Amino acid sequence: MSNTLLPKLYKTMKRIRTFEERVSELFIKGESAGTMLHLSIGEELGPACVGTAMQENDTFTTHHRGHGIFVARGGDPNRMLAEIAGKKDGYCKGKGGSMHIADMTLGHLGANAIVGGGIPTVVGAAMSYKYLKQERVSVAFFGDGAMQQGILYESMNMASLWKLPVVFCCINNQYGMGTKIENAVGVKDFSKRAESFGLNTLHINDLDVESAYHKSKEIIDSARKFKPGFIEIECYRFYGHARMDKSPYRDESEESEKRKLDPISFASNQMIKNNILDEADIKKIDNDIMIEMDKAMEFAINSPINEETEIFKDVYSENDPLPVSLDEKINKILNN
Amino acid sequence: MSNLNQNYFEKITYRDALRLAMHDAMQEDKNIIIMGEDVANYGGAYGATKDLLKLFGKERVIDTPISEPAIVGAAVGAAMSGLRPVAELMYVDFFGMSMDQIANQLAKIRYMFGGQISAPMVLRTQGGTGRSGGAQHSQSLESWIMHTPGLFLSMPAKPNDAYHLLRHALKIDNPTIFIEHKLLYNTTGTLDKNDIGAPFGKANILRKGKDVSIISYSRMINYAEKAAEILEKENISAEVIDLRTLYPLDRETIITSVNKTKRALVLSESYYTSSVPSEITSIIFENCYKVLKKPVIRYTAEDTPVPVAPNLEKNYIPTIEKIVEYTKKVCN
Ligand SMILES: Cc1ncc(C[n+]2csc(CCOP(=O)(O)OP(=O)(O)O)c2C)c(N)n1
Ligand SMILES: [Mg+2]
């Protein structure tokens, strides 16, 4: 029992959930930049198991519901929440926000607000690693909705053709916005699609995060040896699509049934049952996380807003002149 | 939308005017279908197709997978084969992935095939800032369409125009791109179904004026009207022109107005460079250069991607104060 990773995985999942609860609070306090906030509550298992199975130098892209993955990969909650608040201390100076968060030092090649938009990025990243002889894997995280984007299949084919160190990871939460998966796909067996490209496949459909971790690690380790893979993790989006969505398109009974499939309480019960940690230990972990995330929220709220000139920075390289503001352009014309 | 059969609405939202237009058109023409992401069960991301599933059934109001190129492309094929689809792209930014089907297929079918066939469909979408949606969910990409021969392009600002232009688009033989604005859906106005409506290619002079022409379309029209009110108090009489459709474009109304006022400001939420205002400004220069008292001003969003931070997003697009300031300088 001593070498179990369960406490670590539990902690990651709990940090993700608590983080997302703070995102929600940030919104309620009127401190979030907008309402396009997509929470991964209920979906923590995938980010935790795949995120933990990746190695330090591995890289990744995420979909719009990517906070959890970034937390699992070491994202700093302070800077993440500041980004979600659109503030200066955020990872992208508040210019990207929740849906476009990124951090090159942690290998986060970018969240994406275009469904499927970040998938080919990992193919190109893997081309670089192979060419540069770096032992790195790049993982694309995306939702079940992106399984219906053509670009995924173009990317899978390239990964297979060029034997790239890539893993495609689908977090299948059963819905794309208000559309249930049954209304979006003819055949639900996603692994079959990946298999037909010659990818290693893994389908996770239970709540045992530690076994999911070991299986994911095999896929990622194979990818490192140039055998690209595909992982599908089935889960359930506990709440609305974005912060304002109350999910009127699905039954409350469905929601309450599905919310019982909670990877976090499952892991905590596992730990107690197998005498890995007791209730007091778990409470202590939870409490520490709460304190951490409360501080992060404070940090985000107190972070300063950007100066107006920030609009013009980062459009082109810092060696190039900034784009001329409209005010300058117009006044120049009028003062002529 | 309590009384669908009413002919006059004192106050209706832009959203409901669109819903009503689709509703009335679908009752009249059983070959009209609606297809797009979350248009049926969910009623559209911005609610413009709410309840239409209940009224017309799932054969005519169709939720699609998240597959934009195929949504547009399949609508094109359906339009070539007897149906009249209203396809919806949830955000105009998804032109990015559907542009082949829009520009290389839809726009060119009639011409390439020597006039044998047309693709009479409407592609509805919405754009614009205002929700901190960021660089990939807040753009104004109408110039991409205007730059592509073969497409009608409509960007109404008022509920009455939204209704009539959509009805009109669903009767003509040309493919129409219909771009709404995310912050217009909750705005209200009157709707008169018996109005002859807004025909394509006819601008609307919302406010008569003699000192300067403010020419705009979509949400910025509401800014132009507010600015004109403020300007009036300062003794500047601004003529506000709502273009309503960008193809066909009502060049006549623009030229006539500027020949009268001799000054113009063109207002839009799009980028500045190679934009719809660039085009309108050239038209004015080409046709009114003899009378112009001042350079024509293009007031648009900045030439940068759209930032998420609310304080940056707010000043990224035109503001009413600045419209007033620039117009005053133009009239100086
Ligand atoms: C290309 C594109 N199409 C549509 C959207 C609008 N949209 C945002 S999220 C979403 C649902 C995505 O579902 P899924 O991929 O399963 O991810 P989930 O939200 O369930 O995590 C849609 C349709 C988008 N952002 N990008
Ligand atoms: Mg999903």
Side-chain angles (χ1 to χ4, degrees):
Chain A
M1 276 305 156
S2 60
N3 55 5
T4 173
L5 276 171
L6 201 48
K8 182 182 155 94
L9 292 163
Y10 170 83
K11 198 174 157 193
T12 302
M13 293 196 292
K14 188 74 186 184
R15 284 183 75 238
I16 295 172
R17 179 159 308 179
T18 313
F19 178 86
E20 296 289 47
E21 286 164 357
R22 294 302 174 273
V23 174
S24 194
E25 268 180 65
L26 204 63
F27 161 78
I28 292 167
K29 288 179 192 284
E31 294 278 351
S32 66
T35 66
M36 292 192 194
L37 306 167
H38 308 87
L39 308 184
S40 29
I41 294 179
E43 310 183 7
E44 297 90 348
L45 184 143
C49 71
V50 180
T52 308
M54 289 164 67
Q55 290 188 4
E56 196 182 334
N57 288 326
D58 292 347
T59 61
F60 61 104
T61 61
T62 81
H63 54 331
H64 53 283
R65 201 178 302 283
H67 303 160
I69 298 153
F70 194 21
V71 168
R73 290 301 298 160
D76 168 10
N78 290 12
R79 293 185 63 200
M80 287 180 70
L81 279 169
E83 186 60 36
I84 292 163
K87 298 289 190 65
K88 196 173 172 159
D89 296 316
Y91 270 108
C92 311
K93 307 171 195 162
K95 292 199 279 193
S98 161
M99 295 199 290
H100 311 95
I101 209 163
D103 180 32
M104 300 309 137
T105 57
L106 289 171
H108 191 346
L109 303 181
N112 217 297
I114 300 293
V115 169
I119 294 173
T121 312
V122 302
V123 172
M127 287 169 74
S128 307
Y129 307 148
K130 198 169 178 182
Y131 178 83
L132 299 170
K133 302 206 164 20
Q134 298 173 345
E135 263 202 30
R136 302 167 85 179
V137 174
S138 199
V139 183
F141 292 89
F142 48 88
D144 45 292
M147 291 299 298
Q148 278 56 256
Q149 286 285 356
I151 202 161
L152 172 63
Y153 303 99
E154 300 175 22
S155 302
M156 280 185 173
N157 182 50
M158 285 180 177
S160 155
L161 176 68
W162 295 329
K163 301 186 175 49
L164 297 174
V166 160
V167 174
F168 301 97
C169 182
C170 174
I171 314 269
N172 176 358
N173 63 7
Q174 318 296 328
Y175 281 86
M177 241 177 94
T179 300
K180 217 181 162 92
I181 189 159
E182 283 77 9
N183 297 328
V185 301
V187 176
K188 260 209 295 181
D189 191 343
F190 290 158
S191 288
K192 267 201 186 131
R193 302 188 191 178
E195 266 165 30
S196 74
F197 287 96
L199 305 188
N200 278 334
T201 63
L202 168 63
H203 180 190
I204 293 167
N205 195 12
D206 60 55
L207 295 176
D208 186 342
V209 66
E210 191 164 20
S211 104
Y213 159 78
H214 288 296
K215 291 178 196 159
S216 307
K217 190 158 183 310
E218 276 177 33
I219 295 279
I220 291 168
D221 289 347
S222 296
R224 209 173 301 282
K225 295 179 195 123
F226 307 113
K227 182 88 172 93
F230 170 76
I231 302 173
E232 174 192 358
I233 293 140
E234 288 207 48
C235 53
Y236 190 75
R237 194 190 75 207
F238 279 13
Y239 299 100
H241 166 68
R243 186 57 187 72
M244 297 293 274
D245 175 28
K246 302 272 183 293
S247 313
Y249 42 80
R250 61 188 194 188
D251 288 343
E252 261 175 50
S253 60
E254 173 191 310
E255 290 192 343
S256 51
E257 262 324 289
K258 292 284 196 178
R259 281 186 201 142
K260 287 181 193 150
L261 302 175
D262 182 347
I264 295 181
S265 39
F266 188 90
S268 119
N269 289 338
Q270 262 181 321
M271 290 192 293
I272 294 168
K273 200 172 96 207
N274 297 324
N275 294 321
I276 301 167
L277 291 181
D278 64 21
E279 263 176 68
D281 298 330
I282 295 171
K283 226 183 179 142
K284 167 89 173 60
I285 294 176
D286 292 357
N287 207 43
D288 289 349
I289 293 173
M290 218 147 72
I291 293 168
E292 178 197 9
M293 298 304 170
D294 281 343
K295 280 192 185 144
M297 196 164 67
E298 280 306 307
F299 177 85
I301 291 171
N302 293 327
S303 171
I305 58 169
N306 280 297
E307 293 93 47
E308 291 300 319
T309 49
E310 192 56 50
I311 291 182
F312 304 99
K313 293 183 187 160
D314 305 318
V315 184
Y316 303 102
S317 106
E318 60 219 23
N319 304 322
D320 293 298
L322 293 181
V324 179
S325 79
L326 270 170
D327 203 44
E328 194 181 327
K329 279 184 225 168
I330 293 176
N331 279 319
K332 196 167 168 198
I333 296 167
L334 286 171
N335 296 337
N336 242 337
Chain B
M1 218 159 43
S2 46
N3 189 352
L4 295 171
N5 299 320
Q6 228 169 294
N7 275 322
Y8 182 79
F9 294 78
E10 184 58 41
K11 191 174 171 189
I12 190 169
T13 60
Y14 188 87
R15 170 188 296 111
D16 281 347
L18 290 165
R19 283 166 69 197
L20 204 52
M22 285 182 267
H23 169 270
D24 292 355
M26 287 175 88
Q27 266 192 338
E28 242 174 65
D29 179 351
K30 65 175 182 9
N31 289 334
I32 294 177
I33 60 159
I34 295 178
M35 59 192 287
E37 292 155 21
D38 285 297
V39 294
N41 254 326
Y42 195 94
Y46 287 88
T49 52
K50 198 161 181 282
D51 295 336
L52 295 180
L53 172 66
K54 259 184 251 158
L55 293 166
F56 296 102
K58 62 183 194 318
E59 308 231 292
R60 294 185 70 191
V61 185
I62 304 163
D63 277 332
T64 65
I66 308 174
S67 309
E68 285 77 7
I71 292 169
V72 179
V76 174
M80 292 168 71
S81 316
L83 297 186
R84 199 178 260 283
V86 180
E88 179 179 311
L89 286 181
M90 205 182 278
Y91 286 78
V92 78
D93 311 72
F94 310 156
F95 275 178
M97 57 223 306
S98 353
M99 214 52 197
D100 174 64
Q101 291 299 324
I102 296 169
N104 287 330
Q105 315 301 332
L106 178 61
K108 297 180 171 58
I109 288 209
R110 178 195 292 272
Y111 190 84
M112 289 189 304
F113 302 155
Q116 291 180 71
I117 196 158
S118 60
M121 61 171 275
V122 174
L123 181 61
R124 283 188 47 248
T125 187
Q126 61 77 32
T129 62
R131 292 196 57 208
S132 281
Q136 300 174 334
H137 272 62
S138 315
Q139 297 175 91
S140 297
L141 299 177
E142 54 272 18
S143 68
W144 294 15
I145 301 300
M146 206 183 181
H147 190 67
T148 306
L151 301 170
F152 271 33
L153 173 57
S154 171
M155 294 189 73
K158 305 287 179 186
N160 195 58
D161 291 334
Y163 176 88
H164 288 288
L165 284 168
L166 189 49
R167 288 299 307 272
H168 195 80
L170 284 167
K171 287 186 185 130
I172 59 179
D173 255 356
N174 293 304
T176 300
I177 313 297
F178 205 95
I179 308 179
E180 298 146 22
H181 190 295
K182 51 177 76 59
L183 293 192
L184 279 178
Y185 291 113
N186 287 332
T187 61
T188 55
T190 56
L191 166 60
D192 182 357
K193 285 196 196 173
N194 294 325
D195 191 2
I196 51 146
F200 271 73
K202 190 83 201 86
N204 191 15
I205 302 177
L206 282 172
R207 189 187 177 101
K208 288 233 171 258
K210 58 179 179 30
D211 298 328
V212 56
S213 307
I214 302 179
I215 300 153
S216 189
Y217 55 93
S218 192
R219 178 171 177 244
M220 281 297 126
I221 277 295
N222 297 337
Y223 278 40
E225 284 186 298
K226 287 205 185 98
E229 275 170 36
I230 298 170
L231 287 161
E232 178 158 53
K233 290 186 195 120
E234 312 202 17
N235 288 323
I236 293 174
S237 151
E239 182 144 299
V240 177
I241 298 178
D242 180 357
L243 294 171
R244 304 192 288 197
T245 64
L246 297 175
Y247 193 93
L249 180 68
D250 187 352
R251 300 161 68 101
E252 259 335 288
T253 298
I254 300 170
I255 295 166
T256 309
S257 172
V258 180
N259 273 335
K260 176 181 74 179
T261 61
K262 303 179 175 57
R263 303 163 199 268
L265 181 134
V266 188
L267 182 65
S268 150
E269 204 181 307
S270 74
Y271 304 119
Y272 177 84
T273 301
S274 289
S275 60
V276 171
S278 312
E279 179 62 27
I280 311 250
T281 304
S282 335
I283 291 173
I284 297 172
F285 274 128
E286 287 160 353
N287 293 279
C288 312
Y289 71 97
K290 282 188 185 151
V291 302
L292 281 177
K293 292 246 168 77
K294 275 278 166 108
V296 180
I297 294 303
R298 281 179 274 167
Y299 187 23
T300 62
E302 301 287 353
D303 266 342
T304 77
V306 189
V308 157
N311 70 310
L312 300 185
E313 192 196 30
K314 194 167 125 270
N315 290 319
Y316 165 83
I317 62 163
T319 61
I320 294 169
E321 301 84 75
K322 286 272 177 191
I323 301 173
V324 171
E325 180 189 320
Y326 296 147
T327 310
K328 274 159 73 177
K329 285 189 182 166
V330 168
C331 292
N332 208 330

